[in-house]
Amino acid sequence: MESRPAQPYWNPYLSGIGLGLVLLAAFVVMGRGLGASGAVASTITAGLNTVAPGHVAGNPAYAEYLKDGTSPLKDWLVFEVLGVFVGGYLSGMLAHRVTRTIEKGPNITNKRRLVYAFIGGVLMGVGAKFGRGCTSGQALSGGALLNAGSWAFMLMVFAGAYAFAYFMRRQWQ
Amino acid sequence: MTAPFFKYGFFGEDISLVVAFAIGIGFGFFLERAGFNSAKKLAAQFYFKDLTVFKVMFTAIVTAMLGVYYLSVFGVMDLGLVYLTPTFLLPEIIGGFILGIGFVVGGYCPGTACVGAATGRIDALVLFVGIFAGVFGFNEFYPLLKGLYLATPMGQLTLPQVTGLPYGFIVFAVVLMALGGFWGAEWVEKKMAARKVEASS
Amino acid sequence: MTDMIRSLTLNARLALTAFVLGFVALFAGNPYKGAAATLNTKELAITMATNADQISVTTVADWIIQGRSDFRVVDLRPAAAFAEYHIPPAENIPVTELGGSNLGRNEKIILYSESGARDAQAWMLLRAKGYRGAYVLHGGLEAWKDSILFPRVPANATPAQLVDFARIKDVSKYFGGSPQAGAGDSTTTAVVMPKLAMPTPSATPAAGAPKKKKKEGC
């Protein structure tokens, strides 16, 4: 089974319609959009709250995630992101695309690629906090609701990525 | 008018978590189907080689936008009850730019990193750990960043409100923009592929 | 016509569908308007009968202390009374301006006035306009004074009541109140309304910039 070749990806427009319908389902059933980065903040708050509860209570950036005394992990986005992992794995498994690998261009070492991935993650964490969401929560969900801030955010994501693409070309090409 | 179901109290907090898990599965499934588990494919967007990111994202936005619009117009859904993230223009512009840089440096965005990690991409897993570090750092320095974070609050604001144009007009404009973009994307991809063949021959 | 559509590729057919739906949207009207003014009297009656429209002062006090920002408190009293004292995160919105205010129909709104007559009317008004998250502070500002600012313990209090009182004492001090020793006690401390410059929780919204629940986002 593992030796079977990976299937090609779907037509992007069909995958897009699939994503759009999932997003629409979230609006219709829950009255809210999708997200990803918010779950990270909840998880961090939950982790810190068990290690250093005093520290968490003193910082308004965390207090918001404590809500009404229930665990911050009992959160909509946390469960949604768990689902994303499961859904991604299911789809990848069905198409024989689950392989342990590091994605990179031919001109960069594995170690360097992982360092870049980490730096990219840090930037993304900070950016998602300032932007009140990431590509899922702001660009996608807010974009579909014609949220003004979300569209500004989305344009800036593309602007930032294209602006720095030149400096990163050795990593990918 | 009965949607959004949760806001009308059809089910409680606990069931909503089950719904979250199910919706997450759908989200992850289609992200992987589109090829968003591969950083190479995602990053190719920014070198005009493979514009899948743009195509998938805007198809999804157009699909959901039209769905929300027509369900609301037909009175099935109360759009006023759907959560709109309040706009804080300046921090959102800065945050978007930083996230964009992170996208091309790291190769994934937060959602796609989950899918990448789930399908065995080690770089995606490392990036996900990086997000934790970034959010943690932000929270620790929150007292310093608070001023910028809360700058230019504009409340819940939609494009029709900003432009003063009817909602339906903006919907049509977004559809036109997306279709034009798709047409352009197909053209660019063909051009780039032709150039590659030329270069290798 | 059908032959022509059949001859198109899948992508072209999808594009055509999107174009048609987008074009029709030009004439289909405002999606927000369709939602206004649908009053389900039965649902309202059930909400009232089960007290689901009410929220207790202790609950609200706890929320404020926890720094929650997913709700808005609206003071319906005249501006002069509001200036004299109001519950810390409250905004002053007269009943006449409720409809045109910046309150969102997807927000949790807690209404209060002096004792709870005016706010019930305002609640009805908001509900009729489709504000599903509107609640009335049970007992109004009177209850806030009695239970939060100047709580009393009954003369013949049961142990359970005493435990309760010990807890509420801290809450009261947080809001700058003064807990009263006992109903039969002659040495009751003076009932002085706390000044507005009292220890407000750190998470109260900045003036003019209502902080909304961010958690629901991404």
Side-chain angles (χ1 to χ4, degrees), chain B residues 48-64:
Chain B
F48 298 105
K49 280 188 174 159
D50 179 341
L51 301 177
T52 306
V53 172
F54 172 79
K55 293 186 210 166
V56 172
M57 207 164 135
F58 271 81
T59 313
I61 289 177
V62 165
T63 307

Side-chain angles (χ1 to χ4, degrees), chain A residues 123 126-128 130-131 153 157, chain B residues 90-100:
Chain A
L123 288 171
V126 174
F130 269 119
F153 176 85
V157 169
Chain B
L90 185 65
E92 280 178 339
I93 283 177
I94 292 169
F97 198 78
I98 296 174
L99 194 131

Side-chain angles (χ1 to χ4, degrees), chain B residues 113-194:
Chain B
C114 298
V115 177
T119 53
R121 268 60 177 185
I122 296 155
D123 47 334
L125 196 64
V126 171
L127 184 135
F128 203 68
V129 175
I131 299 174
F132 273 84
V135 173
F136 178 72
F138 178 93
N139 285 350
E140 289 305 308
F141 289 102
Y142 182 71
L144 284 174
L145 304 171
K146 198 176 167 189
L148 180 58
Y149 179 71
L150 294 174
T152 58
M154 300 165 92
Q156 299 185 331
L157 191 67
T158 61
L159 289 180
Q161 286 171 323
V162 173
T163 57
L165 294 164
Y167 201 97
F169 185 89
I170 304 275
V171 167
F172 185 52
V174 170
V175 170
L176 280 189
M177 204 189 73
L179 291 180
F182 298 153
W183 183 82
E186 298 291 344
W187 184 81
V188 167
E189 280 179 1
K190 239 176 243 161
K191 266 266 152 132
M192 292 299 278

Side-chain angles (χ1 to χ4, degrees), chain A residues 23 27 32-35 131-154, chain B residues 57-58 60-62 64-65 68 79 82-87 92 157-160 167 170 174, chain C residues 32 216-218:
Chain A
L23 179 56
F27 288 140
R32 59 179 295 167
L34 303 167
R132 291 153 173 84
C134 55
T135 18
S136 327
Q138 273 286 31
L140 210 58
S141 308
L145 294 173
L146 304 183
N147 187 338
S150 304
W151 279 83
F153 176 85
M154 187 188 338
Chain B
M57 207 164 135
F58 271 81
I61 289 177
V62 165
M65 176 187 70
V68 164
L79 190 51
V82 175
Y83 180 77
L84 258 190
T85 309
T87 292
E92 280 178 339
L157 191 67
T158 61
L159 289 180
Y167 201 97
I170 304 275
V174 170
Chain C
Y32 279 98
E216 222 171 322
C218 180

Side-chain angles (χ1 to χ4, degrees), chain B residues 21-37:
Chain B
F21 189 64
I23 285 181
I25 288 179
F27 190 31
F29 185 89
F30 286 111
L31 282 178
E32 206 282 339
R33 289 281 123 168
F36 286 3
N37 64 332

